[in-house]
Amino acid sequence: MNVFRYVSDLGDLPSALGEAFELKGDRFKYHDRGCGKTLLLIFFNNSLRTRLSTQKAAMNLGMNVIVLDVNQGAWKLETERGVVMDGDKSEHLLEAVPVMAQYCDIIGVRTFARFESREADYGEEILNQFIRYSGRPVLSMESATVHPLQAFADLITIEQYRRKARPKVVLTWAPHPRALPQAVPNSFAEWMRAADVDLVVTHPEGYELDPRFVGDVRVEYDQMKAFEGADFVYAKNWSCPGVTCREDYGKVLSRDMAWTVDSRHMAVTNDAFFMHCLPVRRNMIVTDDVIEAPTSLVIPEAANREISATVVLKRMLETL
Ligand code: CP
């Protein structure tokens, strides 16, 4: 595997899930695979879980790890070609990427949507420069439109806790004070469609996700109706994806607190498990009582980030 962005990059999903559960039993099973190999993690944006779990995954495989926070200690990078670099940016990504590649075997990149242009974000301009110019396998650690390590961990968590063969999984928008990217809901919808679940998406009008991720999945604008009989509730905020109105891309269209997931919502579910990728704003996205309930899976989900990253890195190492 040379690139990890989409569920299809992983190959056969049931076999990847099998490997995930094998690694949950013994996370050091393939400790010899990464011996003498180096993983470089590049962060353009903050992280807690991705930063720690991906390093831990590399250690599980016996790899060396280098972490670079681009905005703290490195030269400020220009990303647009053709720009006269007379401002505060000292180095161009076109030199920086091949230089970084000299020191590693695999590169992970975190680079969020910038909301300057939908075309640039949905064209994954930064991640694609790493893919194009590094000559190394590249994995998205949340890029402008996708967060595949999170979605794979979410799927592992659903497999771990599901009580029926084809659970009802509800992806719900919830309010947030700031404009957030669509990477998590995009990948969650994409990965759930590839898995054997009954997915329903619910959000206020204007928040329609890109069809390339959500396909023809049922969208229910009545949140309470969507929650009825749910086995898993996955909450996340996202800003306007600009599908129905391009000019609104990246905007906050609603702060309606009636969408906050609370006990009233959970009462109409099938005693659903609550999920969120974290970090979460309590009492905006979800109330204290719901996130603290025994049915909250936010910690097991975060734990499975180590497993999803171990499977992905193992598969990348196998193609070196
Ligand atoms: N869920 C997730 O990716 O968390 P971080 O942003 O802390 O890495």
Side-chain angles (χ1 to χ4, degrees), residues 235-300:
K236 184 73 184 80
N237 174 269
W238 62 91
S239 61
C240 174
V243 169
T244 50
C245 181
R246 294 268 150 165
E247 293 84 69
D248 284 340
Y249 173 65
K251 290 186 182 163
V252 174
L253 303 179
S254 170
R255 289 192 171 85
D256 186 352
M257 296 292 281
W259 283 75
T260 302
V261 177
D262 61 15
S263 54
R264 185 180 54 98
H265 291 90
M266 297 305 280
V268 302
T269 69
N270 182 28
D271 195 19
F273 291 107
F274 174 80
M275 299 178 71
H276 188 280
C277 61
L278 303 182
V280 70
R281 299 234 183 184
R282 281 177 174 229
N283 304 306
M284 288 288 305
I285 300 282
V286 58
T287 54
D288 289 326
D289 57 330
V290 171
I291 198 169
E292 290 170 3
T295 44
S296 170
L297 297 182
V298 294
I299 306 304

Side-chain angles (χ1 to χ4, degrees), residues 46-51 110 112 141-142 147 150 277-279 305:
N46 295 339
S47 165
L48 187 155
R49 278 143 292 272
T50 305
R51 177 185 298 269
R110 166 158 287 201
F112 288 171
M141 298 195 298
E142 185 171 347
H147 196 357
Q150 182 65 52
C277 61
L278 303 182
R305 289 293 305 275

Side-chain angles (χ1 to χ4, degrees), residues 44 79 93 109 111-112 114 120 123-131:
F44 287 84
T79 56
L93 205 58
V109 185
T111 173
F112 288 171
R114 297 176 169 190
E124 288 282 6
E125 286 191 346
I126 307 295
L127 185 74
N128 281 339
Q129 292 198 55
F130 279 88
I131 293 167

